[in-house]
Amino acid sequence: DAGITQSPRHKVTETGTPVTLRCHQTENHRYMYWYRQDPGHGLRLIHYSYGVKDTDKGEVSDGYSVSRSKTEDFLLTLESATSSQTSVYFCAISGGGDRVKDTQYFGPGTRLTVL
Amino acid sequence: GNSVTQMEGPVTLSEEAFLTINCTYTATGYPSLFWYVQYPGEGLQLLLKATKADDKGSNKGFEATYRKETTSFHLEKGSVQVSDSAVYFCALLNSGYSTLTFGKGTMLLVSP
């Protein structure tokens, strides 16, 4: 979706290092989400935000933290990366602009490899 | 909690064959239901949705009907194309903060 970007798109890091992934939207959506996608598990919700500085945990939040200091940016941080966090991470948005509010729109994903 | 179960793949079909991908759900009440599609190397895109019982969602030749009696939302297409090869995810909308619960995805491979 042209209104959502994720950075970086690919990252390789070492165990124990901190990593921050960024999701940026230009569509003024209220809700933002972070998912991880792993073979055999589908997509699982890590954290989500329902407004600036308002966040909550999802299904698989251990080892992750998030921050949202302005509407357009939602950051996902791995404080100390582990190999089990090797995955593809997707950001999604919903609930604003001229889009239908019950539908989520996804970014292109970030492929993270932790060695 | 809420859950979504999809048939395991891969589903392998020849071009022009009929497609069915089964999806059933467990939830409180009658949540909105969705099918998302993921093409290789891309993010998910909404394919179709239904917001209440007996609704039929449709898009690009795909259809799915919200069946509350059987808690199902099966995806169908009458004649698949090679370009339909992708991973298909069934999902339901949880109440409250609009989070989604996804099934594990079903890979579809269509050969010429």
Side-chain angles (χ1 to χ4, degrees):
Chain A
D1 190 302
I4 313 171
T5 56
Q6 292 184 232
S7 58
R9 294 293 313 279
H10 302 271
K11 186 170 182 67
V12 179
T13 191
E14 295 188 349
T15 298
T17 60
V19 176
T20 295
L21 308 182
R22 180 183 184 233
C23 177
H24 179 78
Q25 59 142 328
T26 60
E27 310 227 347
N28 199 34
H29 284 254
R30 177 183 176 188
Y31 300 102
M32 299 185 75
Y33 312 84
W34 278 108
Y35 294 90
R36 59 178 290 173
Q37 182 179 23
D38 304 288
H41 291 278
L43 274 81
R44 293 179 292 175
L45 182 65
I46 304 172
H47 281 279
Y48 62 98
S49 169
Y50 45 94
V52 173
K53 298 192 185 212
D54 292 323
T55 65
D56 206 347
K57 297 179 179 180
E59 177 188 357
V60 290
S61 59
D62 287 349
Y64 301 95
S65 62
V66 291
S67 66
R68 191 171 179 198
S69 59
K70 46 187 178 178
T71 299
E72 56 266 35
D73 288 326
F74 192 33
L75 304 181
L76 177 71
T77 297
L78 292 65
E79 300 290 348
S80 178
T82 67
S83 59
S84 64
Q85 294 175 312
T86 293
S87 186
V88 180
Y89 292 85
F90 287 99
C91 176
I93 62 177
S94 73
D98 60 354
R99 304 285 194 139
V100 177
K101 288 179 171 51
D102 64 350
T103 299
Q104 291 187 16
Y105 300 90
F106 284 78
T110 294
R111 183 173 295 277
L112 176 67
T113 302
V114 183
L115 301 175
Chain B
N2 296 343
S3 66
V4 175
T5 303
Q6 292 180 234
M7 60 189 292
E8 291 191 18
V11 174
T12 304
L13 295 173
S14 298
E15 205 165 25
E16 300 183 0
F18 184 86
L19 168 70
T20 300
I21 299 178
N22 291 337
C23 171
T24 58
Y25 68 90
T26 301
T28 303
Y30 303 106
S32 295
L33 301 173
F34 303 82
W35 278 101
Y36 281 84
V37 59
Q38 183 180 32
Y39 298 104
E42 297 183 9
L44 278 71
Q45 304 173 23
L46 177 68
L47 180 60
L48 54 84
K49 69 176 184 180
T51 58
K52 61 183 186 296
D54 299 325
D55 267 2
K56 176 184 285 188
S58 61
N59 186 27
K60 300 181 180 179
F62 291 89
E63 293 183 340
T65 301
Y66 191 139
R67 304 281 189 202
K68 69 176 182 180
E69 301 84 2
T70 54
T71 60
S72 65
F73 193 53
H74 305 321
L75 183 67
E76 297 181 335
K77 186 176 186 183
S79 176
V80 294
Q81 306 300 311
V82 172
S83 57
D84 293 327
S85 298
V87 181
Y88 293 81
F89 292 92
C90 185
L92 65 81
L93 184 69
N94 300 299
S95 60
Y97 292 112
S98 299
T99 61
L100 289 173
T101 296
F102 284 89
K104 294 184 178 180
T106 303
M107 179 178 288
L108 171 64
L109 299 171
V110 181
S111 57

